């Protein structure tokens, strides 16, 4: 097991361009936490995702692949 990032950080961080305005690209930032059907978020994960969301990020708790696919379609 190798820990990467700060405690509570999500499994996947992704960025996607949403539009171009006057030559600059605007992006959406995504934090995706992968959990089993019964998996629960730790307090550190809840706090990290809350702060990310407050800054305008999009948070996803993915319990299956369809959830992630739907997020990007």
């Amino acid at each position: 097991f190798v820990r990467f990032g700060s405690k509570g950080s999500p499994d996947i961080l992704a960025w996607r361009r949403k539009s171009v305005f006057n030559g600059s690209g605007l992006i959406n930032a995504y934090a995706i936490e992968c959990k089993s059907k019964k998996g629960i978020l730790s307090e550190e994960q809840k706090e990290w995702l809350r702060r990310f969301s407050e800054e305008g990020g999009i948070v996803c708790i993915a319990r299956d692949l369809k959830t992630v696919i739907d997020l990007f379609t």
Side-chain angles (χ1 to χ4, degrees):
F1 175 77
V2 176
R3 181 176 303 280
F4 180 80
S6 60
K7 193 166 185 175
S9 62
D11 297 311
I12 301 168
L13 286 171
W15 291 264
R16 183 178 186 194
R17 185 185 348 223
K18 63 180 178 178
S19 65
V20 175
F21 179 73
N22 291 333
S24 8
L26 302 173
I27 62 167
N28 282 332
Y30 300 86
I32 304 168
E33 180 61 37
C34 302
K35 291 290 180 195
S36 68
K37 299 251 186 242
K38 295 181 180 181
I40 58 171
L41 295 171
S42 69
E43 290 304 315
E44 292 89 354
Q45 289 170 325
K46 289 177 188 176
E47 177 64 14
W48 202 103
L49 296 173
R50 181 191 64 75
R51 292 176 65 196
F52 187 81
S53 179
E54 285 179 355
E55 293 296 326
I58 299 166
V59 171
C60 174
I61 310 304
R63 298 187 184 278
D64 54 44
L65 181 58
K66 183 179 182 323
T67 301
V68 177
I69 292 170
D70 291 346
L71 181 66
F72 290 101
T73 57

